[in-house]
Each structure stands twice: as C-alpha cells, then as structure tokens.
C-alpha cells in the first residue's frame, strides 16, 4: 500500500485537499484550529488563558508536596474536593495576575540585589559566609545550575516587588495595640444562675404526631450515607506472640551471652592533682613542672590524708581542684590512655608517682574500688523472657506476614482460609463510609474496640475497602500495612445504599431530640423571665446565683465561649447589669457587678502585638490590591472553570 502512495503522490495530495478544504468551509480556519487543539480554557488573565492542562500540572505538583509531607497518611481522594480545586485555581489566577503586573510595570532586579539575596541563603554559607563551592553543590543536588537558578530567582524577586511593599509598609498604631491589650486583660466580676434544660424535661410532652411530623419534614437530616459491612483479619504483635513459649534453657543461654547488659563493670573512685604543661613548653619548663609534680607526689605518699588539701592548693585542673581533686567514679574508656592505665594498676588507697599525659603531669589517688558485678538471673529473668519473646515474635510476625501475603490471593472471595491457616479471628464491623465510621446512632448498638476504630480510620484501609476489586467485586484486598507491626487484609461482606431509615427505627431518636429542644426552650423562657425582672429592678436581692468569679478574655474560668462573649461585650455602666446567654443545653443569667482594668502592658508586649497586627493588616491590604489588579487586567472566569470546581469537568487523576 505504501508503494502505491509513493507512486501516486499527486493523486493522494488531491484527495487530501478535497478532504481538508470542506472542513474550512464549515468551521473556518480558527474553528479548525480549535477543533484540533481543544484543551479547555478555565480563566483569562489579560489576553492569556489558564488552561485545564496548566491546572492539572499545578494540581499534580501540589499533591506531590502533600504526598511527601503526609507519607502513608496521604489520601488523594481527600483533596479531590470543590474547595481544593477552587483554592488552587484562585492561587494560579493570583500568580498570573501579579506576574502580568510585574511585566507591565517593568519591574527589575539589579545584579547587586541578586548577589545579596543569594549570599544571605543559609544553605549556601559556610561559617556564616557565602561559599561559591557550596552554592554549586547545593544547586547540583537539586538538578539545577547557577544560570537557571539565578534567572528564576531574579524573576521571583521582580514579581515580589508588586505586592511585597504593600504588606511590609502596613503599620498598626501602637494605640490600637494598647487598646486591644487593655480589652484582653480587662477583669469582670460575675455571678451566674443556670437554667439547665434537663430540669425541664419532665414537663415536656412529645406525641406520636409530633414525631411523625418531624420525620416527614427532616428526611435529609435522617439520611444514612452509603456504607459497608467489612470483614478483616489483623496480624499484629499480640497475634504473632500468643503461642510463643520461652524455655528456661533459652533464658539461661541469653543470660550467659549478654552478661554485660545485666552487670556493672569495675569502677574506681579517683582523685588527681594536675600540673599543666603548655604544648609549646621547652625542656626547661617541662623539667620544672615535672619536679613540682614529683614533690607533690612525695608529700601525698607520705601523708595520704592530705591529698585533698594538696589538690586544692596545687592542682591546675579548675574542674576538680576545689573538690579536692575528685573525679568521681571512673570506668574503663572514660579517661585518656596514660591516666587510665595508671588508675587501673593502683590498689585501693594507693597514690601514683608522676603520670605524664598531653595535658601535663598527674598525681593520682585511687580512693575506692567497686569490683565488676552481674545481677543474678532471678532478678532479670522477667526482662530476659520479654526480650526473647519480642525477638521470637518479630521472627514469627515476618513468617506469618509472608503467609498472609500469599494466602490473601489464593481464595479471593473469603477470608476464612486465611483465618484458619494463621489462627486469626475474623473481625466484622458495620457502618464504614468513605469518610469513616458512621455515628453509633446510625451504625447500631454494636461496640467497636479502639483498635478497630483506629484501623478503620486509617486512610489506606478505607482506600482499599472502596477500591473497585474490594467494593464492587467483594474480593479480598491485598495486604495493607497500617504500621510496621500491624498488617491486615479486608473484604466487603455487604453494601448498604444511602437511605432514610423507617420511622420505627428512628422514632426514639426523634423523640429524644424533640424533648431536648423543647426542654431547652422552656429553660430559656424561665431564664428570660428572671432576666427581665432583674433588669427592671437591678438593685433588688438576687437569689440562687453562684459565687462570684473574676474572668478575663484570656482567663474565662468555667465560662463557655458564648457566655464569655456575652459577659465581656456587655456595657460596663451602669452596674450591676444583667446579661443572658443561651447554650446548647442551658440558658444562663449573669449578674455583672464589677469591671476593672488589667495590669498596664509592658512596652515589649505592645511592640509584639503591634507587629502581629501590622502583619495581618499588611496581608489584608495585599489581598485588596490583588482584587484591584484582577479588575485592571480583566480576569474572567470561563464556564469551564465552574465545571472544574463542581467536578463536572474531570481534572487529571493520579
């Protein structure tokens, strides 16, 4: 066929022309170009589009960062949300807008600024100074060269000039910081009277009609999402060690082979006197120092009880001289060789002659000796048993893990053969969704152990459960490693579609909800009556209030956030004043009797808060400037952007 094409090129060109030209008639040149390159455009910034391909590249890079940060806990599905896609797209728009502003404004960076910026990077410094060799090595490790890096850095520095000056020059007056600190430290004295909802439950009446009406009007609140019943077998340290027995022979052998772990080597209590010798000392100075040390050694040998006094008088070891030369208890390999040899050759109470070392001349006194000792087997038997058990369990865990890996695929539709072969129980849990376990009210009364909750809360496990083979085909998963000492296999035994439970299943739950709501309403009504009465007669005697407490915004005592907000936002005059605050299970009436200023803030506190507020204000001004730039460069969200965010337009999947 290819020979025919080569020998009839003119005819083939004519045929191709006849095929292509009509398409221009119908679509036009621009339409034909668009037909051939139809990558969706999401946003236009100026006259430049952000395409789906560019978004996917940014998304892949972002997910890779999360994968590196989260490791085994990384779940791509957790980031496949409308919020994540919208935030990423907006970040891309902002970056493109700022880059366009930098180009339009002809922002530039001088060579000197670039040099200073690079020299200030700690990673390319040695002893606080820029190192060109280290600079090249660091870049090479990242797969870059100086030219590429400097071009990118120059571009980033130029772009930073667009918004950075706005944020850096924002400044909140010190008076504002002082005012906020005053509000934070202001002290208020309050008493409270609580109207608890539980005290009003007996007066609440809920009928069957009330329950049915609520059920009919709140179907969405009762919806149970799609969930599965899962079976799984778990291999952990406990399972791997349950049949392990440690014999007395093993214990005895381990004890003999590890004597050093259960004993203490010989130790000696040592004192010394040091006559220092500088490294540059000549023969005359060295002879003089040795003579002094020999004289001290003679005096110490003649009267050993005077050793401490001699050390305090003559020793030039500042660390031990004031302690009478005491070096404490010494084991082997703690001292320099020359001194250690002398120490372990002396008997208790004996004083050495002059010992030379790189530091000078020593006179040594062995005050006491503790011979080497080993703890008796009976004292360490339990520790040895546990150690051997752990070692054997680790070996057995590896063997059982290997068996589990092979068995899990032998019979894909059941875990029973694995459980039988490895002597592991099959655990069953109901109510697992893609986001985790259902609440107990929707899952049922079955208790779930903390270990099982932790296992099923693991992202890797849920990913496996809802993978195609396990979820749709109900096959065994592969081996899942939750941690180095916990592995498991899982299968789906039943799938429960999203549904609204029958009224009979949730009737008691609805009744309790209505009782709680109505009891809270009754508590609030009772509290409001008391509140209005006290406001009408603020100086009247108050009853049933708790002991007064002092609260601040930083130290709320036992007040909830809502209660503290109500108390601290109340008018400071006139006093006393009364405030009401509604909570989730109570209504509280407060009597505010005293308001006083806190301690005057220190200058450092004001400066620190002022800096924090200025930083926040600068960030807000940068965002405002970004909005202006978006308007100036006519940023336009295209229809495909909305489809992308909602998930209708499919982004690249990892």
């Amino acid at each position: 066929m290819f020979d025919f094409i080569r020998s009839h090129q003119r005819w083939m060109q004519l045929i191709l022309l006849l095929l292509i030209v009509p398409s221009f008639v119908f679509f036009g040149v621009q339409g034909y170009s668009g037909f051939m390159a139809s990558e969706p455009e999401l946003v236009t910034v100026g006259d430049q589009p952000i395409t789906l391909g560019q978004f996917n590249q940014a998304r892949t890079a972002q997910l890779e960062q999360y994968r590196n940060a989260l490791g085994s806990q990384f779940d791509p599905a957790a980031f496949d949300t409308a919020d994540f896609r919208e935030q990423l797209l907006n970040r891309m728009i902002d970056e493109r807008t700022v880059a366009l502003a930098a180009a339009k404004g002809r922002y530039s960076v001088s060579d000197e600024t670039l040099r200073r910026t690079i020299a200030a990077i700690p990673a390319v410094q040695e002893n606080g100074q820029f190192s060109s060799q280290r600079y090249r090595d660091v870049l090479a490790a990242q797969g870059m060269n100086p030219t590429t890096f400097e071009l990118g850095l120059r571009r980033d520095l130029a772009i930073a000039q667009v918004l950075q000056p706005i944020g850096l020059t924002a400044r909140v007056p010190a008076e504002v910081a002082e005012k906020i600190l005053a509000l934070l430290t202001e002290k208020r004295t309050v008493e409270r009277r609580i109207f608890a909802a539980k005290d009003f439950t007996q007066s609440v009446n809920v009928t069957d009609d009330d329950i049915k009406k609520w059920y009919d009007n709140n179907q969405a609140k009762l919806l149970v999402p799609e969930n599965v019943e899962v079976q799984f077998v778990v291999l952990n340290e406990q399972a791997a060690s349950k049949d392990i027995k440690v014999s007395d022979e093993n214990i005895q052998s381990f004890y003999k082979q590890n004597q050093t772990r259960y004993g203490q080597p010989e130790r000696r209590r040592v004192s010394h006197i040091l006559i220092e010798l500088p490294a540059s000392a000549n023969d005359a100075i060295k002879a003089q120092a040795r003579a002094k040390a020999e004289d001290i050694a003679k005096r110490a040998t003649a009267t050993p009880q005077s050793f401490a006094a001699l050390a305090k008088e003559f020793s030039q070891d500042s660390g031990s001289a004031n302690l009478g030369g005491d070096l404490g208890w010494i084991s082997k390999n703690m001292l320099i060789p020359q001194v250690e040899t002398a120490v372990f050759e002396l008997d208790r109470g004996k004083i050495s002659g002059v010992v030379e070392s790189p530091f000078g001349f020593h006179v040594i006194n062995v005050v006491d000796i503790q011979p080497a000792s080993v703890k008796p087997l009976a004292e360490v038997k339990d520790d040895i048993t546990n150690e051997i058990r752990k070692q054997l369990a680790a070996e057995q865990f590896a063997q059982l893990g290997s068996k589990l890996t092979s068995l899990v695929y032998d019979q894909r539709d059941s875990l029973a053969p694995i459980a039988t072969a490895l002597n592991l129980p099959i655990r069953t849990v109901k109510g697992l969704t893609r986001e985790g376990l259902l609440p107990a009210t929707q899952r049922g009364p079955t208790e779930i152990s903390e270990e099982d909750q932790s296992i099923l809360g693991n992202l890797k496990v849920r990913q496996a459960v809802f993978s195609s083979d396990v979820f749709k085909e109900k096959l065994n998963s592969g081996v899942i490693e939750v941690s180095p000492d916990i592995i498991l296999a899982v299968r789906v035994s039943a799938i429960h579609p999203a549904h609204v439970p029958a009224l009979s299943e949730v009737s008691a739950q609805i009744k309790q909800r209505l009782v709680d709501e109505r009891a809270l309403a009754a508590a609030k009504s009772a509290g409001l009556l008391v509140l209005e009465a006290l406001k009408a007669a603020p100086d009247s005697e108050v009853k049933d209030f708790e002991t007064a407490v002092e609260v601040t915004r930083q130290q709320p005592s036992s007040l909830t956030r809502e209660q503290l907000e109500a108390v601290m936002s109340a008018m400071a005059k006139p006093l006393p004043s009364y405030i009401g605050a509604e909570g989730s299970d109570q209504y509280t009436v407060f009597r505010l009797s005293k308001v006083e200023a806190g301690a005057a803030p220190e200058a450092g506190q004001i400066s620190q808060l002022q800096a924090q507020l200025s930083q926040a204000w600068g960030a807000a001004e940068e965002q405002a400037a970004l909005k202006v730039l978006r308007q100036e460069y006519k940023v336009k969200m295209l229809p495909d952007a909305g489809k992308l965010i909602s998930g209708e337009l499919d982004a690249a999947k990892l």
Side-chain angles (χ1 to χ4, degrees):
M1 185 180 74
F2 291 109
D3 290 337
F4 174 81
I5 292 174
R6 280 193 294 270
S7 60
H8 296 82
Q9 289 184 13
R10 288 182 177 274
W11 285 104
M12 294 306 300
Q13 290 172 0
L14 179 60
I15 292 170
L16 288 172
L17 186 63
L18 291 173
L19 290 173
I20 293 172
V21 169
S23 66
F24 288 121
V25 174
F26 287 106
F27 300 108
V29 175
Q30 183 64 34
Y32 189 78
S33 173
F35 176 75
M36 296 300 291
S38 57
E39 186 175 27
E41 294 183 357
L42 308 175
V43 183
T44 56
V45 181
D47 57 356
Q48 296 296 316
I50 295 176
T51 66
L52 179 62
Q54 292 167 338
F55 175 87
N56 284 336
Q57 289 177 0
R59 179 178 180 274
T60 300
Q62 182 75 77
L63 290 178
E64 192 61 31
Q65 290 180 8
Y66 285 128
R67 179 184 280 110
N68 293 335
L70 298 175
S72 62
Q73 295 298 307
F74 174 72
D75 178 11
F79 299 97
D80 190 19
T81 65
D83 284 344
F84 175 79
R85 291 189 289 270
E86 185 174 14
Q87 289 174 11
L88 178 57
L89 184 58
N90 273 309
R91 186 159 63 249
M92 293 180 68
I93 293 170
D94 289 342
E95 290 172 356
R96 184 71 65 86
T97 302
V98 173
L100 183 58
K104 296 279 187 180
R106 300 183 183 277
Y107 289 91
S108 62
V109 175
S110 67
D111 292 342
E112 180 60 27
T113 299
L114 185 65
R115 280 195 295 269
R116 286 200 307 268
T117 303
I118 294 173
I121 300 173
V124 300
Q125 294 178 349
E126 287 185 357
N127 300 320
Q129 298 294 321
F130 172 76
S131 166
S132 59
Q133 183 60 49
R134 186 170 179 81
Y135 175 51
R136 289 191 293 271
D137 292 344
V138 170
L139 292 181
Q142 300 296 323
M144 293 186 290
N145 57 56
T147 302
T148 304
F149 174 73
E150 288 164 17
L151 283 172
L153 181 58
R154 191 187 294 272
R155 181 192 64 245
D156 292 342
L157 291 173
I159 291 173
Q161 293 180 46
V162 177
L163 293 179
Q164 201 173 60
I166 298 174
L168 293 177
T169 55
R171 186 168 181 81
V172 172
E175 293 79 5
V176 174
E178 287 186 59
K179 179 63 175 176
I180 292 176
L181 283 171
L183 292 172
L184 289 173
T185 58
E186 182 184 75
K187 295 180 286 188
R188 296 193 169 202
T189 302
V190 293
E191 304 158 70
R192 67 180 175 182
R193 180 177 173 184
I194 296 174
F195 295 84
K198 64 181 181 180
D199 296 334
F200 294 84
T201 55
Q202 296 299 322
S203 62
V204 174
N205 181 38
V206 176
T207 66
D208 291 342
D209 288 341
D210 294 334
I211 296 172
K212 179 67 167 60
K213 183 178 179 182
W214 194 96
Y215 177 83
D216 292 338
N217 293 335
N218 294 275
Q219 296 280 293
K221 294 180 181 179
L222 295 168
L223 181 68
V224 177
E226 180 184 52
N227 63 93
V228 297
E229 178 179 315
V230 293
Q231 296 178 336
F232 53 104
V233 289
V234 178
L235 177 60
N236 53 22
E237 182 181 354
Q238 181 181 0
S241 62
K242 63 182 178 182
D243 297 325
I244 291 176
K245 295 181 180 179
V246 180
S247 67
D248 289 340
E249 291 78 8
N250 287 341
I251 294 172
Q252 185 71 40
S253 175
F254 189 94
Y255 178 70
K256 288 181 179 179
Q257 294 173 15
N258 294 273
Q259 292 281 303
T260 56
R261 293 179 57 178
Y262 304 107
Q264 177 178 288
E266 179 184 337
R267 300 195 308 165
R268 297 189 168 212
R269 187 68 179 265
V270 177
S271 297
H272 85 141
I273 298 170
L274 171 66
I275 303 302
E276 287 184 333
L277 186 66
S280 59
N282 55 32
D283 291 342
I285 295 175
K286 185 175 181 179
Q288 185 179 1
R290 177 182 286 277
K292 184 176 182 180
E294 288 175 346
D295 179 62
I296 293 171
K298 289 179 182 177
R299 293 170 62 180
T301 302
T303 55
Q305 64 272 20
S306 67
F307 192 93
L310 291 170
K312 290 180 180 179
E313 182 178 356
F314 296 109
S315 181
Q316 294 172 329
D317 178 5
S318 58
S320 67
N322 291 334
L323 301 175
D326 185 22
L327 295 176
W329 288 99
I330 301 298
S331 301
K332 286 191 175 181
N333 301 318
M334 291 178 64
L335 299 173
I336 54 176
Q338 299 91 329
V339 175
E340 182 176 289
T341 299
V343 165
F344 283 91
E345 287 178 350
L346 288 171
D347 293 331
R348 179 189 286 109
K350 297 298 183 179
I351 295 172
S352 72
V354 174
V355 178
E356 184 177 353
S357 81
F359 299 101
F361 298 104
H362 305 258
V363 179
I364 300 167
N365 179 20
V366 175
V367 179
D368 198 2
I369 298 175
Q370 282 186 352
S373 63
V374 179
K375 293 180 181 179
L377 176 59
E379 190 176 331
V380 296
K381 185 175 181 179
D382 289 343
D383 291 339
I384 293 175
T385 302
N386 290 333
E387 182 71 20
I388 295 174
R389 188 184 298 277
K390 285 182 179 180
Q391 292 181 7
L392 294 176
E395 295 173 4
Q396 187 153 308
F397 182 88
Q399 295 171 1
L400 293 176
S402 179
K403 288 183 180 179
L404 176 59
T405 302
S406 59
L407 287 171
V408 77
Y409 295 108
D410 287 350
Q411 186 174 335
R412 295 291 309 277
D413 60 350
S414 175
L415 293 174
I418 300 173
T420 301
L422 302 183
N423 193 23
L424 297 173
I426 295 178
R427 308 183 189 185
T428 302
V429 172
K430 299 178 180 179
L432 181 66
T433 72
R434 296 175 189 272
E435 286 73 38
L437 286 167
L438 290 171
T441 53
Q442 294 180 328
R443 189 178 65 242
T446 307
E447 290 291 332
I448 300 180
S449 69
E450 289 186 8
E451 182 184 30
D452 286 355
Q453 289 185 45
S454 175
I455 288 172
L456 296 177
N458 186 278
L459 291 173
K460 291 168 66 175
V461 174
R462 297 205 307 275
Q463 286 174 358
V465 168
F466 289 96
S467 64
S468 179
D469 283 356
V470 179
F471 179 65
K472 294 181 179 179
E473 306 298 330
K474 294 189 174 63
L475 300 177
N476 296 343
S477 72
V479 173
I480 308 165
E481 182 180 341
V482 174
S483 65
D485 58 352
I486 299 178
I487 60 175
L488 69 146
V490 63
R491 69 179 297 270
V492 172
S493 54
I495 299 175
H496 303 290
H499 67 285
V500 175
L503 176 59
S504 58
E505 296 178 33
V506 293
S507 178
Q509 177 185 336
I510 294 173
K511 181 177 181 179
Q512 186 60 55
R513 179 170 186 151
L514 291 174
V515 168
D516 292 343
E517 289 177 354
R518 294 179 183 184
L520 179 59
K524 181 178 179 181
S525 296
L528 286 171
L529 286 175
V530 172
L531 179 62
E532 294 304 320
L534 290 171
K535 284 183 175 180
D539 294 324
S540 60
E541 181 183 358
V542 295
K543 297 180 180 179
D544 301 323
F545 275 71
E546 296 177 358
T547 304
V549 294
E550 188 177 82
V551 298
T552 71
R553 287 180 171 85
Q554 295 172 311
Q555 296 177 324
S557 186
S558 60
L559 272 60
T560 65
R561 183 181 62 81
E562 294 83 4
Q563 291 173 344
L564 182 67
E565 185 177 335
V567 167
M568 301 307 293
S569 61
M571 298 294 292
K573 294 180 180 180
L575 295 177
S577 64
Y578 296 90
I579 310 104
E582 184 175 355
S584 59
D585 59 356
Q586 65 186 31
Y587 186 83
T588 308
V589 176
F590 290 95
R591 180 178 187 268
L592 176 60
S593 58
K594 188 177 182 181
V595 177
E596 56 183 327
E602 298 178 359
Q605 292 176 301
I606 297 173
S607 297
Q608 183 179 9
L609 182 58
Q610 184 183 10
Q612 293 171 345
L613 293 173
S614 297
Q615 186 177 9
W617 184 254
E621 287 191 339
E622 286 182 5
Q623 290 302 311
L626 263 175
K627 289 182 180 180
V628 173
L629 289 174
R630 281 192 177 205
Q631 294 173 358
E632 182 176 347
Y633 296 118
K634 297 180 174 57
V635 172
K636 184 179 180 181
M637 301 284 279
L638 302 177
D640 279 338
K643 293 179 182 179
L644 172 76
I645 292 169
S646 66
E648 184 180 348
L649 181 65
D650 195 23
K653 302 294 184 185
L654 291 186

